[in-house]
Amino acid sequence: MIKRLLPIIILIMGLLYIFLLHSMLFKLIPMCLILIYAYLRMPAFKKGYALLVLPGLFFCMLGDGLLHWFLIGLSAFLIGHLFYLSAFITRWRFSFIRLFSVVPIACFAGFMGWRLLQGLENGGNAGMAVPVLMYLIVISLMGFFAVMSGNLSASFGALLFIASDSILSWNMFISDISHSGVLIMTTYYAAQFLIASSVRNKPAFSDLGNEKRTGL
C-alpha cells in the first residue's frame, strides 16, 4: 500500500517545494521519499544493481543539501553519479542502435564544456574549470551507460539528470534562464524518481529476445 502511495506523495511534496515552500527541509523531503521508494522496490535476490543505485540517491541527496557550498555539493553529486554509472554498467546490453547515443551525448557534452569554460573565465571562476569539466564528463558517461543498459526508466532518468544539471550550470555560469528554478527541480526530481524506479525494472522485451538468440 505504501509503495503505491509513495509516487503520489513524492509528486505532491516535490510540487510543494517547487511552487510554494522554498526551504531546505522541503527540498530534501522528496529525495528522502525517493530513497525509501527505491529501497522498497529492491528485489529479494540479485540486489547488486539496487545496492549501487541506493548510495547514488543518498549522495545526490547530500549534494542537494550542500550545494550552497558549490564544490562540496558538486563533489557529493559526482560520487552519486559514479554509483549510478557503476550500476548501469552491471546492466550493459550491447546494441548498435543504442551505441550511437554516444554521438549526441558527446556532442552535447563538448558544446556544454566549451560554453562553460567561456562562462567560467568571463565570470572570474576559471579555477573551477577542472572540477566542473570532470563532473560534465562523469555525468555524460553516466547517461551513455544508462542508455546502453536498455532500461527505459534508467535511460530517461539519466538524460533528464543531464538536462537538469545543464540548465543549472548554464544559469549559473553562462546566462540567466527564465523560470530556471522550476525547470531544474522538475527535471531533477523526475530524473531521480525514474532512476529509483529502475531498481526493479527488467530489460525491455526486445533485449530479452536478443539475449536468447545470442546466448548472452
Side-chain angles (χ1 to χ4, degrees), residues 142-157:
M142 186 271 293
F144 170 68
F145 282 111
V147 172
M148 289 306 297
S149 74
N151 186 303
L152 290 178
S153 291
S155 300
F156 283 115

Side-chain angles (χ1 to χ4, degrees), residues 50-170:
L51 292 176
L52 289 169
V53 169
L54 288 172
L57 291 167
F58 176 75
F59 275 100
C60 287
M61 184 173 67
L62 279 183
D64 274 338
L66 298 171
L67 203 56
H68 179 73
W69 301 277
F70 183 73
L71 288 180
I72 298 175
L74 188 73
S75 299
F77 274 115
L78 180 65
I79 294 170
H81 288 312
L82 289 172
F83 274 109
Y84 288 155
L85 190 155
S86 301
F88 300 147
I89 287 175
T90 67
R91 287 190 171 179
W92 172 279
R93 286 177 175 80
F94 183 79
S95 160
F96 280 111
I97 295 175
R98 290 197 297 271
L99 184 63
F100 281 114
S101 68
V102 73
V103 176
I105 291 173
C107 288
F108 182 74
F111 172 74
M112 282 297 299
W114 169 58
R115 291 307 310 270
L116 282 171
L117 282 176
Q118 288 183 326
L120 289 168
E121 186 174 351
N122 293 338
N125 296 308
M128 297 172 59
V130 172
V132 168
L133 290 181
M134 185 182 300
Y135 182 86
L136 177 62
I137 291 169
V138 170
I139 196 173
S140 299
L141 286 172
M142 186 271 293
F144 170 68
F145 282 111
V147 172
M148 289 306 297
S149 74
N151 186 303
L152 290 178
S153 291
S155 300
F156 283 115
L159 295 176
L160 279 173
F161 215 136
I162 292 173
S164 178
D165 279 358
S166 297
I167 297 167
L168 185 150
S169 57
W170 192 284

Side-chain angles (χ1 to χ4, degrees), residues 13 15 27 36 49 67 90 95 103 116 124 185 187-188 200:
M13 297 308 298
L15 292 174
K27 183 181 184 183
I36 294 169
Y49 179 85
L67 203 56
T90 67
S95 160
V103 176
L116 282 171
M185 295 311 298
T187 51
Y188 171 71
R200 197 62 182 266

